[in-house]
Amino acid sequence: MPAIDLVPLLDQATGKSTPDDRKAILVRLAALRENARAATREERASARAIMILHMLRRQIGDERFNATAGQLLASSGPLAWPEVRQAFVAAGGPELEGFFSQWLDGREPPRFTIREIAMEEKEGQTRLAFTLVQEQQPPATLAVPVRVTTPSEVVTREIPMKGAATQVSLTLTEPAGELLIDPDYHLLRSLMEDEYPLVWTRFLNAANPLAVVPDDPAASPYGPLVEKLRTLGCETMAAAKVKDSDLAGRAVLFLGLDTPMVRSLFARPDHPAAGLTLEVRANPLGPEEVAVLLSAASREETEKALPLLFGGLALATFAHLTDGTVIEQRTQKTDMGLGWWLDLPPTGVAPANRLDFAAIMERLRETRVIFVGETHDKVEDHRLQLRVIRAMHRQSPKLAIGMEMFPRPTQAALDAYLAGTISEREFLKRSSYFTNWGFDYRFYRDILAFARANRLPVVALNLEKGLTTKVFRQGGPSALTPEEAARIPAERDLSLPGYRERISGVFTMHGQHAPPEQINNFLQAQALWDETMAESAAEFLKKNPEYRLAMVVGQGHAMKDTAIPPRIARRLPVSQAVILPAREHEVLPSEADYLIDLEPAQLPPLPLLGVQLVESDKGVRIVEVGKEGAAAKAGIEAGDTIVALDGEPAATAEDVKINLLYRKKGEVVNVRIVRRHLLFPDETLTIPVLL
């Protein structure tokens, strides 16, 4: 450890510290990297020293610690570890030699975890067993504070550890709810993610920080800070040149908020216009690191704030300064201790709160935007959507329907169909429904029929599928051409609390195991969907202030806290509510306003040819024929090309799907095909197929 004067630290250790004080020290220590500059190595040594002295005090007791510390402090001159060690070993006995040897050798702080948790009730008592593990090497010898909470008691123990793993068994009067390791921060140890707040020092001491600066930093309000960062070895990059991939997995500082990259990640952060404001968030493209948003009204504000930025604001999550004076400062609240839920209590709903559908809709009479989330292939969900739309229409005829199923370029086809100027067949073809969406059109047919009959506007909410696919597969929004980028919302908020966690869960639920950059691309593609639909809805509501809006979207897009609703609210202050079908998974109050019980329903099966199709320049070629399908029984073969059904041309697979939509099981359709032969001319056949 670097040589430091222990006098002020020893004097500090004779006073009482709180768990919050000790946690703040461990947060600083976690942010101070081993490979940091010399000044930081001294800070790290000081932070370690404070925790070592605290652990020493607990080991030998307050009385003996204070007496020995008093003798040391009475001598003049600085104090180093050899003198402190000698004095405390003399006072506390030779067993302290091992304590000092272990903690002064600069080894990595312990990292704890719990494994093999088991809880068993027997004869009126509960036995809780688990393995307490140190993950670092070498393991430390120490006593680990453990706190177990049951509904009626709090049990605390000190668990002695001499190796990497220790078996623990506790007898309790009833099942435990929560297990905490070192909740009062008595140990020099590593923090878990849930304990580690988003604070400014995490950027200052990051291993590979990046500052995104104005194109001409010297002429901006941030010139003095940029100069300081460069002297400290921080990489800087002009805002006009930075890409998504530059930010992935790095601690990033954005100087100024009015840049395309800031708007694409955090929409438009709300900072005061005057003074200087510092805000620390998780980096949406690498949440293990921080993203810092800093705005300043002038160069003078930045100059006056510099001493605090590199001093007293180290543990700030948010700070606002004027003329170099702190007006407001906050630090994020995080978990205290390493925690494991052993028995998470279930939640419930009082039956007295149950409402019938009419009462729910009456409560929502004045709500301007109502989401009805769906699982796309559940018939009962779409019937609920239509039921809500009918009820809203009875309350007010000034009603529009927003639909996820239609990308914005299909709006003209929607308008023409609803106005009655084109048929349903023509609408399906012009809107490329089966290419853009693909789920059974009958799910949405009654909703569109109701809108057409009552002359209700339908808003095509979504972004073109090809753009989100490109963002996901080719490296994020930076992969888009300027023309494509102009079609997406410029302001996108990837930093909504819980959003990345939910989207990452969806990604892994689909069986995907991918590097962080691919998850980042998936996150950005999902955010484009949510932001586009929010933008489409908000633009309609602004242009039509007398209208209400029923939102027909997937359940994941309807979540009240992380999906479309907060993104509409960011653009337009408007009342919103979320209705979801009640199913077996838990829905939190933050996610929805009402859950509706539904009886499962089914549509009659669509008639099928029993073939797999691929499009070619000569028609729709059959690549596979199901052995028991209608086509096989009629004599259609793989390699045949469909050119018409009952005289209706079939140039695309979508033409085939549209034609079959109007058929019923048991009907006969005449399929005209071209069959190619190697040695003979192509043969055109019309084959009747019993669907």
Side-chain angles (χ1 to χ4, degrees):
M1 291 175 59
I4 55 172
D5 183 8
L6 294 175
V7 168
L9 305 182
L10 192 60
D11 187 39
Q12 178 181 336
T14 60
K16 293 290 186 180
S17 63
T18 68
D20 284 333
D21 296 333
R22 297 187 291 273
K23 180 177 182 178
I25 293 167
L26 292 176
V27 170
R28 291 290 297 269
L29 189 58
L32 297 168
R33 312 282 176 144
E34 291 279 10
N35 60 350
R37 60 192 185 278
T40 301
R41 287 198 294 272
E42 291 180 6
E43 291 179 63
R44 184 179 178 85
S46 295
R48 286 180 63 93
I50 293 171
M51 291 304 299
I52 290 170
L53 292 171
H54 174 74
M55 292 189 294
L56 176 62
R57 177 176 183 152
R58 293 190 76 236
Q59 183 157 329
I60 67 174
D62 289 351
E63 184 177 349
R64 199 164 8 169
F65 180 90
N66 288 337
T68 306
Q71 294 171 6
L72 287 166
L73 292 170
S75 61
S76 60
L79 287 173
W81 277 117
E83 298 97 314
V84 172
R85 178 175 185 166
Q86 182 180 5
F88 276 103
V89 169
E95 66 272 12
L96 286 184
E97 280 289 0
F99 173 89
F100 283 104
S101 297
Q102 172 177 266
W103 295 110
L104 295 183
D105 66 1
R107 70 176 62 187
E108 180 185 354
R111 296 192 315 275
F112 296 104
T113 191
I114 296 291
R115 296 177 185 158
E116 301 165 354
I117 299 175
M119 195 158 49
E120 180 184 19
E121 291 185 75
K122 190 175 182 180
E123 297 179 355
Q125 291 186 319
T126 298
R127 177 180 173 271
L128 171 63
F130 57 89
T131 302
L132 180 59
V133 178
Q134 295 185 63
E135 296 182 315
Q136 85 292 344
Q137 289 295 334
T141 298
L142 73 176
V144 181
V146 172
R147 180 187 298 167
V148 179
T149 303
T150 76
S152 61
E153 64 179 338
V154 176
V155 178
T156 59
R157 296 285 188 275
E158 297 268 344
I159 307 299
M161 290 196 76
K162 293 185 177 180
T166 297
Q167 303 291 327
V168 181
S169 179
L170 301 175
T171 300
L172 309 170
T173 58
E174 57 186 325
E178 186 181 25
L179 169 63
L180 289 173
I181 304 301
D182 191 28
D184 293 324
Y185 298 96
H186 290 309
L187 301 178
L188 170 58
R189 62 172 176 84
S190 297
L191 299 173
M192 285 182 70
E193 182 180 346
D194 291 341
E195 299 176 283
Y196 196 15
L198 301 169
V199 288
W200 170 230
T201 193
R202 290 179 63 172
F203 173 81
L204 291 178
N205 295 290
N208 186 25
L210 171 67
V212 179
V213 303
D215 295 342
D216 185 1
S220 76
Y222 310 102
L225 179 54
V226 174
E227 293 172 13
K228 176 73 171 177
L229 291 170
R230 286 173 173 166
T231 64
L232 297 175
C234 177
E235 180 185 357
T236 60
M237 186 177 295
K241 296 182 178 180
V242 71
K243 297 180 180 179
D244 310 313
S245 55
D246 298 320
L247 311 180
R250 300 180 70 176
V252 184
L253 167 64
F254 295 95
L255 297 181
L257 307 183
D258 193 21
T259 67
M261 184 57 72
V262 168
R263 292 199 298 273
S264 74
L265 296 174
F266 307 102
R268 191 172 291 274
D270 186 17
H271 283 192
L276 179 144
T277 302
L278 172 84
E279 182 181 4
V280 186
R281 303 190 187 187
N283 180 351
L285 303 181
E288 68 283 354
E289 297 287 358
V290 296
V292 184
L293 304 173
L294 190 145
S295 61
S298 66
R299 183 184 181 92
E300 290 72 26
E301 289 287 359
T302 301
E303 288 176 337
K304 292 178 180 179
L306 276 182
L308 283 170
L309 287 173
F310 293 91
L313 294 178
L315 296 181
T317 301
F318 177 90
H320 178 63
L321 295 77
T322 300
D323 290 330
T325 300
V326 177
I327 306 301
E328 181 182 3
Q329 180 177 342
R330 299 191 301 268
T331 297
Q332 179 193 18
K333 295 295 183 184
T334 55
D335 289 351
M336 297 291 285
L338 313 180
W340 285 264
W341 281 108
L342 307 177
D343 180 25
L344 188 62
T347 60
V349 177
N353 292 333
R354 181 170 291 275
L355 302 170
D356 62 24
F357 181 77
I360 291 172
M361 293 309 301
E362 184 59 33
R363 288 191 176 190
L364 296 177
R365 176 179 288 275
E366 301 302 321
T367 303
R368 195 165 173 210
V369 183
I370 300 179
F371 290 79
V372 191
E374 66 177 55
T375 297
H376 298 313
D377 60 356
K378 298 291 186 183
V379 178
E380 58 270 26
D381 292 13
H382 305 297
R383 292 179 178 172
L384 172 62
Q385 289 167 335
L386 180 56
R387 185 185 292 272
V388 171
I389 289 167
R390 289 181 184 276
M392 292 178 72
H393 185 253
R394 285 194 296 270
Q395 291 171 345
S396 170
K398 293 289 188 179
L399 175 66
I401 305 168
M403 298 188 72
E404 175 192 356
M405 303 76 220
F406 299 102
R408 294 196 284 199
T410 66
Q411 188 66 59
L414 263 173
D415 293 344
Y417 173 62
L418 296 171
T421 59
I422 61 173
S423 68
E424 186 179 64
R425 282 177 182 259
E426 182 64 20
F427 159 65
L428 291 171
K429 188 160 181 65
R430 284 197 199 178
S431 66
S432 299
Y433 174 84
F434 290 100
T435 301
N436 287 323
W437 192 242
F439 287 96
D440 193 334
Y441 172 70
R442 296 177 299 167
F443 292 148
Y444 308 101
R445 179 183 252 164
D446 290 345
I447 292 173
L448 289 170
F450 183 82
R452 179 169 168 156
N454 292 280
R455 294 292 189 263
L456 303 184
V458 174
V459 182
L461 295 173
N462 218 336
L463 190 66
E464 301 98 299
K465 187 176 180 181
L467 294 183
T468 51
T469 300
K470 188 172 183 179
V471 166
F472 173 52
R473 299 195 181 280
Q474 297 185 28
S478 298
L480 300 177
T481 67
E483 293 76 16
E484 290 170 332
R487 302 208 298 272
I488 67 175
E491 293 186 6
R492 310 186 293 278
D493 190 355
L494 276 67
S495 66
L496 282 172
Y499 187 60
R500 184 184 177 95
E501 291 79 2
R502 180 169 69 81
I503 297 303
S504 298
V506 171
F507 192 73
T508 55
M509 182 178 67
H510 288 174
Q512 300 285 340
H513 299 282
E517 57 268 23
Q518 192 168 355
I519 295 178
N520 285 342
N521 294 343
F522 183 69
L523 174 71
Q524 299 232 58
Q526 292 292 318
L528 277 178
W529 266 327
D530 285 335
E531 293 285 1
T532 301
M533 289 192 276
E535 183 180 74
S536 301
E539 286 179 354
F540 176 86
L541 293 167
K542 288 175 184 176
K543 292 176 182 176
N544 301 275
E546 73 280 15
Y547 270 80
R548 299 171 76 196
L549 186 61
M551 294 284 281
V552 176
V553 298
Q555 180 167 325
H557 296 298
M559 293 295 184
K560 202 169 68 168
D561 52 353
T562 58
I564 300 174
R567 302 173 199 279
I568 291 179
R570 197 181 75 234
R571 293 171 166 89
L572 183 69
V574 62
S575 57
Q576 303 181 73
V578 174
I579 297 174
L580 297 179
R583 295 207 166 89
E584 65 278 359
H585 55 270
E586 182 181 21
V587 176
L588 301 176
S590 61
E591 297 172 336
D593 297 287
Y594 296 97
L595 300 179
I596 306 292
D597 294 316
L598 302 174
E599 289 293 329
Q602 297 289 334
L603 290 175
L606 277 170
L608 301 173
L609 289 175
V611 296
Q612 289 189 17
L613 305 174
V614 64
E615 294 179 5
S616 70
D617 56 354
K618 296 183 178 178
V620 187
R621 185 163 58 87
I622 298 171
V623 294
E624 186 176 338
V625 179
K627 292 181 180 179
E628 302 299 323
K633 293 176 181 177
I636 292 177
E637 301 173 358
D640 291 345
T641 297
I642 300 176
V643 294
L645 290 90
D646 279 342
E648 289 280 343
T652 65
E654 192 163 53
D655 291 333
V656 176
K657 293 176 181 178
I658 292 173
N659 192 294
L660 293 177
L661 180 65
Y662 296 92
R663 304 290 179 171
K664 295 180 181 178
K665 188 176 179 180
E667 289 184 352
V668 173
V669 60
N670 294 301
V671 182
R672 189 159 76 245
I673 64 160
V674 174
R675 180 167 295 169
R676 289 173 170 77
H677 301 283
L678 290 176
L679 301 177
F680 305 101
D682 292 347
E683 182 180 12
T684 299
L685 302 170
T686 298
I687 301 176
V689 178
L690 178 64
L691 297 173

